Amino acid sequence: MLRVTSTGSKSFSVAKKIDDKYVRVTLGRSPANSIEQARENILLMENGVNPIEK
């Protein structure tokens, strides 16, 4: 998802429930980070891997 702050700063983040725990990973500011990074983290999370702990 793309998160936008009240000041207009934009950053990509990915959120998913892993082992009954909600995990949100912030990838960084847009456009410096890509949709591909988000997809990679989504795949990890779908396989039960927390990208933060990786």
Side-chain angles (χ1 to χ4, degrees), residues 1-48:
M1 77 180 86
L2 180 65
R3 299 175 67 204
V4 182
T5 66
S6 61
T7 61
S9 179
K10 299 173 187 171
S11 62
F12 287 111
S13 66
V14 179
K16 185 147 175 67
K17 197 171 190 179
I18 298 176
D19 296 328
D20 295 325
K21 183 179 175 185
Y22 184 76
V23 177
R24 181 174 61 206
V25 178
T26 301
L27 303 173
R29 288 190 170 183
S30 172
N33 292 287
S34 69
I35 296 294
E36 290 302 318
Q37 284 179 306
R39 288 183 180 138
E40 290 173 11
N41 283 306
I42 291 169
L43 287 173
L44 286 172
M45 294 171 97
E46 286 178 351
N47 290 315

